[in-house]
Amino acid sequence: MRIALYQPDIPQNAGTILRLGACLGIAVDIIEPCGFPLSHASLRRAGMDYLDHVDMTRHADFDAFQAAQSEAGCRIVLLTTRADVPHTRFAFSPDDTLLLGRESAGVPDDVHARADSAVTIPMRPGLRSINVAMAAAIVAGEAARQTGLFPAA
């Protein structure tokens, strides 16, 4: 399983997601360009000393990312408010990559169309979205539970 960030805007959210990946053993892909310099200095506050423990891959653009996912046999599952399928009703696979869009704008329509599947987190009516790092944790937790990433308690 992997988490991918499409052109992230906010270094604190990216750092938090990298920390999540380190703690859960989930690799993280960064699809550039980023809205900030992608460096340890910009990610340090949220990522703390976990950044050395995450398997992170940078991709020059979405085409490079999609080619790598295709070569690895990974399905791209987009997290979006525009999906009809709740993440709790989706059958995740251990080879899935959870794709999250920019905090400011999500993903463009062409990227949305190129995802293999799309899921949403059910929310109360009238509210727009959940913070991208929180969304990553919610959906990664469900995907990990379904696929057995977490050992039985």
Side-chain angles (χ1 to χ4, degrees):
M1 182 175 309
R2 304 181 74 84
I3 295 172
L5 306 179
Y6 178 84
Q7 299 180 355
D9 291 325
I10 302 172
Q12 294 86 349
N13 285 335
T16 299
I17 292 168
L18 288 165
R19 183 176 176 178
L20 174 71
C23 289
L24 299 184
I26 297 174
V28 178
D29 293 277
I30 305 289
I31 303 163
E32 300 197 56
C34 295
F36 54 89
L38 188 57
S39 66
H40 273 277
S42 66
L43 300 170
R44 186 177 307 124
R45 183 170 183 179
M48 296 176 35
D49 58 341
Y50 293 83
L51 297 177
D52 292 333
H53 301 281
V54 66
D55 175 8
M56 182 181 81
T57 304
R58 295 169 73 165
H59 303 275
D61 55 30
F62 188 78
D63 290 336
F65 163 75
Q66 188 175 35
Q69 298 309 293
S70 179
E71 184 177 313
C74 296
R75 182 172 63 169
I76 298 172
V77 180
L78 177 64
L79 282 62
T80 176
T81 58
R82 296 176 16 199
D84 295 323
V85 179
H87 74 287
T88 53
R89 293 195 181 146
F90 184 79
F92 290 96
S93 166
D95 294 327
D96 284 343
T97 297
L98 308 176
L99 175 61
L100 295 110
R102 285 179 289 196
E103 294 89 345
S104 62
V107 298
D109 289 340
D110 67 312
V111 170
H112 198 285
R114 292 164 65 185
D116 297 302
S117 298
V119 299
T120 192
I121 299 170
M123 295 184 298
R124 293 174 44 202
L127 300 178
R128 288 189 322 268
S129 65
I130 294 174
N131 171 280
V132 69
M134 296 302 294
I138 290 167
V139 177
E142 174 62 15
R145 183 194 67 79
Q146 285 186 23
T147 60
L149 180 66
F150 298 143

